[in-house]
Amino acid sequence: MSRDIYVFIEQRDNKLEKVGIELLGESRRLADDLGQDVVGILLGSDIKEEAKTLFRHGADRVIVVESPVLKEYLTEHYAEAVYQIIKKYEPEIVLFGATSIGRDLAPRLAAQVHTGLTADCTSLEIDPENKNLLMTRPAFGGNLMATIACENFRPQMATVRPGVMSSINVEKEDGEVIVEQMTFPSDSKIRIREILKVENKKKDITEADVLVSGGRGLGGPEGFDNLAELAAELEAEVSSSRAAVDSGWIEKSQQVGQTGKTVRPELYFALGISGAIQHVAGMEESDLIIAVNNSEDAPIFEVADLGVVGDINLVVPKLVELIRKEKALKEELSK
Ligand SMILES: Cc1cc2nc3c(=O)[nH]c(=O)nc-3n(C[C@H](O)[C@H](O)[C@H](O)COP(=O)(O)OP(=O)(O)OC[C@H]3O[C@@H](n4cnc5c(N)ncnc54)[C@H](O)[C@@H]3O)c2cc1C
């Protein structure tokens, strides 16, 4: 009989990706509804130590598969390892991050084990009547939300957007670690010859602690120059509304909102952004929201913790100036 919620824990260079930790938190809530356990699936080389981190974030058990061939992600080996785990343990639910790895791995596995997969979910619930997993995701270009259930096949599988679910911290550092021994074919069709890391100074906006976000109120692409200065002072990343992306002022990867990314930084600046519902859906969980808008009726002020009615062309440079002065003063005092 199918049981328990399994979470695929993504790692790169043996560093756990945030989305796996977020999924453990969400799984804990769902598992408590079901009266079942949360199990982390950890694949890699020399990765077993990280099991502790998973217990701390809500896992009851961790299944570890270690092999030198699992050091870097390769579809073939990773799919084989997770397939063996699904076949052996028959999970009720298996969750993946909707990252490039999760989007590659999950559909292949769903086909292999002959079940359904709901991609890019933004919310998960347990149906109180039949205990099925209700998987919700934007559909038709974000114009409506579709809730999908997989009634007839197990496991129920979903990929979930990074940044949407909340991680949890539990006072626990240990639990059951199950080490699965697996061998992988040596005649793999794919061989990694060289790994070239792209020098990318930009952090993914879902990972940033501080975001300086600009909208149509910037008036043009040059408006982002002021924002970049503010971001540099705050060690923040620059993000945007869809209007700025559609106008070609900034890349789509920086878009916050329903059809962009969901973010929850410690501090979110909304500068020249009206606060349309589709934008707010992607940033309302930020810890502190500061909005600057020249219209006091802008809906962004309804979600902002601090609002400034004013022209961003005046407020942003002033803010940069004040931060610089403050920093200079601190430096002076520390001498
Ligand atoms: C299906 C669907 C999905 C969508 N998905 C997204 C999404 O993921 N993300 C997203 O952001 N939007 C999304 N949208 C679009 C959304 O509805 C809004 O059109 C968009 O968010 C507006 O962007 P904006 O706030 O930058 O522009 P506007 O709504 O034009 O607002 C500009 C704001 O700037 C202010 N302003 C102007 N000049 C200044 C100045 N000098 N100083 C200070 N303030 C100034 C104005 O008062 C105004 O409030 C989606 C829409 C649909 C239909």
Side-chain angles (χ1 to χ4, degrees), residues 81-248:
V82 183
Y83 175 70
Q84 295 294 343
I85 290 168
I86 295 177
K87 285 254 295 193
K88 179 167 177 183
Y89 294 96
E90 299 183 23
E92 173 76 15
I93 295 170
V94 187
L95 302 177
F96 303 80
T99 58
S100 45
I101 289 180
R103 283 168 204 234
D104 180 62
L105 186 59
R108 178 178 284 245
L109 283 162
Q112 263 182 299
V113 299
H114 194 73
T115 188
L117 170 73
T118 307
D120 215 16
C121 294
T122 52
S123 127
L124 300 171
E125 289 299 331
I126 299 295
D127 187 328
E129 275 174 23
N130 51 29
K131 300 290 178 194
N132 281 330
L133 180 67
L134 301 176
M135 300 167 275
T136 301
R137 53 154 297 156
F140 296 103
N143 283 308
L144 60 86
M145 300 302 281
T147 298
I148 296 158
C150 177
E151 291 177 344
N152 299 325
F153 296 96
R154 291 294 180 268
Q156 302 162 90
M157 281 178 51
T159 64
V160 178
R161 270 199 201 192
V164 179
M165 306 300 182
S166 304
S167 56
I168 55 165
N169 262 303
V170 290
E171 302 284 314
K172 191 175 150 200
E173 277 257 320
D174 52 16
E176 190 185 354
V177 178
I178 303 162
V179 178
E180 286 290 338
Q181 303 295 344
M182 288 186 197
T183 49
F184 297 90
S186 53
D187 60 339
S188 167
K189 295 189 197 77
I190 299 161
R191 200 154 25 101
I192 299 177
R193 301 186 72 127
E194 192 183 1
I195 295 174
L196 294 172
K197 298 238 157 121
V198 179
E199 188 59 46
N200 189 0
K201 283 199 188 139
K202 267 192 202 152
K203 206 179 194 181
D204 187 324
I205 58 170
T206 61
E207 304 266 332
D209 293 332
V210 182
L211 282 174
V212 174
S213 209
R216 203 186 332 249
L218 293 180
E222 57 288 344
F224 276 101
D225 296 344
N226 277 343
L227 265 56
E229 278 196 47
L230 177 60
E233 292 304 326
L234 297 168
E235 293 179 25
E237 294 300 317
V238 174
S239 54
S240 76
S241 71
R242 175 157 145 184
V245 172
D246 289 349
S247 306

Side-chain angles (χ1 to χ4, degrees), residues 272-294:
I273 293 178
S274 59
I277 187 162
Q278 296 89 352
H279 184 81
V280 170
M283 46 66 80
E284 62 192 335
E285 297 293 329
S286 307
D287 291 348
L288 183 72
I289 300 170
I290 300 179
V292 182
N293 198 299
N294 62 3

Side-chain angles (χ1 to χ4, degrees), residues 44-61:
S45 174
D46 270 332
I47 194 78
K48 199 172 144 196
E49 265 299 293
E50 290 298 334
K52 278 188 198 148
T53 315
L54 308 191
F55 294 128
R56 216 165 43 238
H57 292 286
D60 296 299
R61 290 192 299 286

